[in-house]
Amino acid sequence: MDNLTIERVKAGLADPGIGPETIALMLTDACNLSCVYCRGGRIDDSRGGGEESELTTEELFRLFEDAAGFKVKEVNIGGMRGEPFCKKDIRLILRKIKSLGLTGSMTTNGSMLSGALAEEMSSYGWDILLLSLDAPFARLQHQLRPAANGKEYFHNILEFLGALNNNPSSRMRVLVNMVITGNNYRYFPGMVDFVNNFKNIESLNVLRLVDMGLPGYSDLQLDCGQAAEFRETLEAFKREKKVLYAGNWSFPDVRRETPAGRHTRCFTNYYILSIAANGDVLFCPQQYKPLSGINIRDVRLRDLWLNEHLSFRKILSESAPCYGECCTILKKQNEEIYNAVCDD
């Protein structure tokens, strides 16, 4: 987290008119994969109202224009529920974000990438791509993240990364996210070698497996012996140039409690505004919990940010009940903000 973000939060605590730095946008609930540990792409999962309930391209353009006018820095297109490339007009949407001078970041499963897409996104300066990739070879990737239509797609990822590699003018930063399971943890060294082959890949982030209540979760989970083996391997690679240990991988079944006496303040909502695919404002980027009665369709961004219903920001900045369950990345950012803005 840079000092500008911290200063923005500090100013925002005193002046609610200081807008968000980032719009975290869940562009669609549709997904074309059926990852073994995720609810995305499963026909028995009732989420949202389908494409007809999602923000239209015109509504998204208005949101982006409002964001640029409100001095928002970044639009982050998340993949918490759906695959962004399943969204109609996705290429127009990405181009619009960059045409307004906003930083663009996006999470994707990579299945719909291509060399042509790498060239197109590079041409208008797309900034960051977070790529969900759990194996350095096709067989295991398709086993863990099978396409709903059964087709193979690993070659699409290779083509995209290869095109970036061969484009000297591309400045796109690629961050690879690897979910650690009992099936793939031994291939972590191979993943390190894989990412080192591509100059645009900035880091390899290891993510812990999250229990979504799906059958077979226990079969994917690392047992204590495997967890210890993986942690030892991870420590050995911590100084590897292309590896970023993001810190949100932990031993299985260990609740990350907040030590007694530590603060539980959350400042996330002073610099990030999270929006669902249907326009609902969300509790935070990590909890898909809509705030009742607040939708970006009904109000312009500046007015929404000042809405009295967003007073929950102040409550969370005093004590957040979900702090102990938060992902480590946001927790680390909160620690930095807390140390900079709080006296106690």
Side-chain angles (χ1 to χ4, degrees):
M1 172 171 285
D2 59 40
N3 289 331
L4 291 176
T5 302
I6 293 175
E7 290 302 315
R8 190 167 186 143
V9 173
K10 185 184 293 187
L13 288 166
D15 179 4
I18 303 295
E21 181 179 69
T22 298
I23 302 293
L25 178 63
M26 312 306 160
L27 198 59
T28 180
D29 285 340
C31 188
N32 62 326
L33 298 191
S34 296
C35 302
V36 293
Y37 37 70
C38 178
R39 301 200 68 85
R42 296 172 186 273
I43 59 174
D44 61 340
D45 185 24
S46 55
R47 304 171 305 162
E51 183 179 344
E52 65 277 5
S53 71
E54 296 176 354
L55 293 172
T56 66
T57 303
E58 292 74 19
E59 289 169 330
L60 289 167
F61 281 11
R62 188 188 78 168
L63 172 60
F64 302 149
E65 290 163 0
D66 285 352
F70 201 24
K71 297 184 179 180
V72 170
K73 176 183 175 182
E74 176 182 358
V75 174
N76 173 265
I77 298 176
M80 186 185 296
R81 286 196 165 193
E83 165 54 41
F85 281 104
C86 288
K87 178 70 173 178
K88 179 183 176 183
D89 292 337
I90 180 61
R91 295 187 176 191
L92 294 177
I93 290 166
L94 301 184
R95 189 181 291 271
K96 178 68 172 180
I97 290 170
K98 290 307 303 174
S99 72
L100 292 167
L102 296 162
T103 297
S105 61
M106 176 173 56
T107 299
T108 176
N109 60 37
S111 62
M112 301 171 75
L113 297 178
S114 67
L117 187 58
E119 295 298 329
E120 179 182 327
M121 294 174 69
S122 296
S123 71
Y124 50 75
W126 190 258
D127 300 283
I128 303 169
L129 191 80
L130 293 96
L131 175 62
S132 299
L133 188 64
D134 295 338
F137 54 91
R139 178 183 57 78
L140 184 54
Q141 174 69 9
H142 293 144
Q143 176 186 336
L144 293 170
R145 294 179 176 268
N149 60 10
K151 291 185 178 180
E152 297 189 353
Y153 59 83
F154 191 81
H155 63 282
N156 294 340
I157 296 172
L158 293 178
E159 185 180 311
F160 181 90
L161 294 174
L164 291 183
N165 237 23
N166 295 325
N167 185 343
S169 64
S170 176
R171 297 293 180 267
M172 193 187 312
R173 299 162 54 202
V174 178
L175 286 67
V176 173
N177 292 329
M178 180 183 184
V179 178
I180 301 299
T181 70
N183 302 66
N184 69 350
Y185 77 99
R186 286 196 172 98
Y187 295 101
F188 177 73
M191 282 293 288
V192 174
D193 291 339
F194 179 89
V195 301
N196 277 329
N197 287 324
F198 301 99
K199 65 180 178 64
N200 289 72
I201 297 182
E202 181 176 287
S203 65
L204 172 60
N205 309 317
V206 289
L207 307 177
R208 66 186 180 88
L209 184 65
V210 176
D211 186 359
M212 294 189 176
L214 294 170
Y217 168 76
S218 59
D219 296 332
L220 295 168
Q221 193 178 34
L222 275 68
D223 60 32
C224 290
Q226 292 172 329
E229 180 185 342
F230 175 67
R231 185 173 290 279
E232 184 176 335
T233 301
L234 189 60
E235 289 298 319
F237 278 93
K238 281 180 69 173
R239 290 189 176 87
E240 173 67 34
K241 181 180 178 181
K242 289 281 189 174
V243 176
L244 170 64
Y245 174 39
N248 57 350
W249 185 88
S250 63
F251 286 97
D253 295 328
V254 175
R255 179 185 170 91
R256 290 165 292 162
E257 297 283 1
T258 301
R262 292 292 302 277
H263 80 87
T264 56
R265 299 182 178 186
C266 179
F267 302 92
T268 299
N269 294 287
Y270 282 91
Y271 63 100
I272 300 177
L273 177 65
S274 306
I275 301 174
N278 66 356
D280 286 343
V281 175
L282 298 173
F283 190 77
C284 90
Q286 297 297 322
Q287 292 197 29
Y288 211 95
K289 177 183 175 183
L291 295 172
S292 179
I294 308 181
N295 191 289
I296 193 65
R297 280 191 169 108
D298 304 325
V299 61
R300 302 302 287 259
L301 177 60
R302 187 185 299 269
D303 295 331
L304 183 149
W305 189 253
L306 295 171
N307 192 308
E308 63 180 8
H309 291 291
L310 290 182
S311 61
F312 79 96
R313 291 182 301 198
K314 178 172 174 55
I315 296 172
L316 294 178
S317 67
E318 294 298 327
S319 179
C322 52
Y323 196 88
E325 295 297 321
C326 185
C327 80
T328 305
I329 294 173
L330 281 181
K331 253 189 178 177
K332 181 179 179 182
Q333 292 176 351
N334 272 299
E335 291 286 345
E336 294 181 40
I337 295 171
Y338 175 81
N339 292 332
V341 306
C342 297
D343 297 326
D344 52 281

